[in-house]
Amino acid sequence: MDSQTSQSSQASQSPHTFQVDLRGLVDLLSHHLYSSPKVYLRELLQNAVDAITARRAEQPDSPALVRLYADGGTLRVEDSGVGLTEADVHSLLATIGRSSKRGDGLQEVRSEFLGQFGIGLLACFVVAERIRVVSRSARTPDAPPVEWTATDDGSYTVRTLPAAEHPDPGTTVHLVARAGAGEWLAKERVLALARDFGALLPYDVRVDGEAITELPAPWDRSYPGPGARRVALARHCHELFGFTPLDSIDLSVPLAGIRGVAYVLPSAVSPAQRATHRVHLKGMLLTERAEQLLPDWAFFVRCVLDTDSLRPTASRESLYEDETLAAVREALGERIRSWLTGLAAGDPERLAAFLSVHHLGVKSLARHDPEMLRTMLPWLPFETTDGRVSLEEFAQRHPVVHFTRTVEEYRQVAPIASAQGIGVVNGGYTYDGELVEALPSVRPGTVVAELDSDTVTAHLDSVDPAEELALAEFLAAARARLDPLGCDVVLRAFHPLSVPALHLDDRSARHEQARAEAEEQADDLWAGILGSLRGSAPRARLVLNHLNPLIRRISSLKDRDLIGTATESLYGQALLMAQRPLRPADSALLNRAFIGLLEWATHGEGDH
């Protein structure tokens, strides 16, 4: 009994072999692993190139030829590679996922390979219903040619052939298109795909006799001079990406096994837009949508490069995020940074043309890189009360560099501050506020201060106390009308005379205003909590210009209601001039003031 139990236990623990549904696996490959059926041709090219690389590791003078022949229903791919014996066929083609690079003394040259033979050939079932492989080994010349034939139902046959049917070492792959996939095997499609994937391959690759490799790569060729090289690379960029670049940047990083070029976009793009780049792995196009290749700040370039150090993902259509990719990203970023500093030092016209389009990207870099900020300081444009100038030029003119945090704050104070001699930088745009604050770190002695409403008000001239006392009733009526809006009214004298009123507030005033509005709409408990948060933050101010003729006429009015209506009109006009977003209460006030003025004007006409 114990013996039977033991035997039963052993039987239940015996290993089993996974059964693979090839149709399901092909569906998985075509719909989930690979982005398009076109990758089948890349896999065929990779297998051929790997086979040639393996043979040349042992026979350096062996031929390096890949030939493709397509007619729409079938495709034949021939290579002069290392070939396979019958044992290799059973090992590599019958076992999905086994790499042809393991063992057989090839471990030391494994880095020279591109693909994985089993999975690569299996990918051809995405477009083919039958695959036939005929191969003869270069390592074992006495071994007969071997034929492996498989269909998409998962069955395959293996047989040896007479030597005369495949006299030379190498492999020939025959594909028969599946229903509806004939277009992928058409000559024009095969030629276009082969050129796209294999233009930089180091071997002689031809489709129906037409060469598809273009070596050396455009960035490695010799040109009569820099101008000719620039023109040739611009043409290459237009062919690849569809635009003529502002400039090209060499991306040679020999230590990382990288050669390539970055093309500077001719028009501005959003920093949030993910840049995509073309990456070749040992000459074979890996992806044209690599996103992690450059630092985020380098969104103003598109690059194409060839590498032998980066690691592809399982689908070989993107890059694996690892330490190597991080190091490459840093090295490529340094190349682009060096190009910028080189322009600043020797070609200011090209730099100005570049910054007129891509100043945002350079500002993004400069805020994290003091050296780049120091280099770009004389060139980066900022919106200021002195016009569009660099921070260096602005700091030379003003002992204190004032800046605002938002565009709205800048718009409401810029005209007045300029007239009072206060220099202000608009720090409301992306990165600008951070760069202004970083200015003292690269320009010692520079004083930077955030501009608030108190600073502006302090620079406005006070009105003679006797005159202001005479207008006490007018000011009381005006303040009573704006008090529900959380706004005070003050009287000052300032330039330009054409500005009748100025609306001033800061973030703390706006926060207090928002808190008060929320308190009005809240239930008792929440209103109590909000009430306890009430601070001593200053209220917004409507500053009336005592020098303005209109303000003088309004201040002489005796009708309290008319004073209130006029004050609401001045308040609304000041908000509009500052281009501030209007709250519902502000919109209602503007409408009420407009109707009130019309009624007052038409009532006066009717009395005549």
Side-chain angles (χ1 to χ4, degrees), residues 200-236:
L200 301 183
L201 287 175
Y203 303 137
D204 182 2
V205 183
R206 297 174 183 268
V207 176
D208 288 323
E210 190 169 343
I212 61 104
T213 50
E214 300 176 1
L215 294 178
W219 51 85
D220 284 331
R221 296 173 192 166
S222 298
Y223 297 97
R229 185 176 192 271
R230 192 175 294 122
V231 170
L233 289 179
R235 186 183 308 114
H236 177 246

Side-chain angles (χ1 to χ4, degrees), residues 53-258:
T53 302
R55 184 176 180 185
R56 286 205 151 188
E58 302 175 0
Q59 305 171 15
D61 296 329
S62 61
L65 308 174
V66 182
R67 298 291 183 262
L68 294 88
Y69 304 92
D71 65 9
T74 63
L75 173 66
R76 186 170 85 253
V77 181
E78 302 174 353
D79 70 66
S80 59
V82 69
L84 303 171
T85 64
E86 184 176 1
D88 293 333
V89 166
H90 283 291
S91 173
L92 297 175
L93 300 186
T95 305
I96 299 305
R98 178 166 298 174
S99 172
S100 60
K101 278 72 78 178
R102 298 192 180 98
D104 298 323
L106 292 180
Q107 189 68 29
E108 65 274 11
V109 294
R110 190 174 177 187
S111 66
E112 299 300 321
F113 293 95
L114 297 173
Q116 193 169 29
F117 195 82
I119 289 291
L121 197 60
L122 185 64
C124 293
F125 279 121
V126 173
V127 297
E129 66 177 12
R130 186 161 61 92
I131 302 174
R132 178 172 169 257
V133 178
V134 180
S135 188
R136 185 164 189 171
S137 174
R139 290 199 194 106
T140 314
D142 296 335
V146 61
E147 176 193 71
W148 177 86
T149 304
T151 59
D152 61 2
D153 63 2
S155 63
Y156 72 92
T157 60
V158 179
R159 66 187 181 110
T160 57
L161 302 175
E165 291 198 24
H166 207 286
D168 299 317
T171 300
T172 301
V173 179
H174 303 262
L175 301 187
V176 177
R178 64 169 57 249
E183 61 172 309
W184 292 104
L185 272 59
K187 177 183 176 181
E188 294 78 11
R189 177 64 67 89
V190 170
L191 179 61
L193 292 178
R195 280 179 172 159
D196 199 34
F197 286 122
L200 301 183
L201 287 175
Y203 303 137
D204 182 2
V205 183
R206 297 174 183 268
V207 176
D208 288 323
E210 190 169 343
I212 61 104
T213 50
E214 300 176 1
L215 294 178
W219 51 85
D220 284 331
R221 296 173 192 166
S222 298
Y223 297 97
R229 185 176 192 271
R230 192 175 294 122
V231 170
L233 289 179
R235 186 183 308 114
H236 177 246
C237 175
H238 195 273
E239 292 172 356
L240 279 187
F241 298 113
F243 65 85
T244 301
L246 282 178
D247 206 349
S248 56
I249 307 168
D250 180 56
L251 294 182
S252 174
V253 187
L255 291 177
I258 287 177

Side-chain angles (χ1 to χ4, degrees), residues 63 176 189 232 316 433 478 488 582-583 585:
V176 177
R189 177 64 67 89
R316 294 199 290 282
D488 291 332
L582 299 180
R583 301 170 297 162

Side-chain angles (χ1 to χ4, degrees), residues 2 13 54 104 158 170 204 206 287 304 332 395 410 471 489 521 560 591:
D2 290 343
Q13 294 178 11
D104 298 323
V158 179
D204 182 2
R206 297 174 183 268
T287 178
V304 52
L332 295 181
Y410 177 80
L471 299 176
V489 177
Q521 300 172 9
R560 194 175 179 87
N591 183 63

